[in-house]
Amino acid sequence: VPGQLDNPKVINVLRESVQTIRSKGLVAGSVAPHKDYLELMYDLGFLFISYRADSTILSEGLKAAEGWYREIQERGEKS
């Protein structure tokens, strides 16, 4: 069920996958695009969970910094 991360079929496959992975002595990991999914991954037994993609976090930080620079520049132009 592509794109339906909260679909019961997907959740069951994830649960089974975690059990298989852990039975081999390995750690199951995933990337969580939002808080609710992060909680779901934890509840299913994932032990390594990356929250969102690094590129998204960097992009948001750069957008915020761009806004700060514009504010500083505008203040300088008004002086």
Side-chain angles (χ1 to χ4, degrees):
V1 187
Q4 296 181 22
L5 300 177
D6 60 349
N7 184 296
K9 290 180 181 179
V10 173
I11 293 171
N12 285 333
V13 169
L14 290 171
R15 184 177 289 112
E16 292 171 4
S17 298
V18 169
Q19 290 172 353
T20 301
I21 291 165
R22 293 181 79 172
S23 74
K24 306 289 184 190
L26 301 172
V27 173
S30 183
V31 176
H34 50 76
K35 182 180 175 281
D36 293 337
Y37 195 70
L38 187 147
E39 291 178 18
L40 174 63
M41 295 293 96
Y42 182 82
D43 291 343
L44 290 174
F46 285 82
L47 298 178
F48 177 84
I49 307 168
S50 175
Y51 179 63
R52 300 170 59 196
D54 294 342
S55 60
T56 302
I57 294 168
L58 289 172
S59 175
E60 289 177 357
L62 289 171
K63 287 178 185 176
E66 179 183 24
W68 301 331
Y69 283 111
R70 284 192 179 150
E71 289 174 12
I72 293 168
Q73 183 180 22
E74 289 172 4
R75 283 195 304 236
E77 291 173 356
K78 292 179 183 177
S79 303

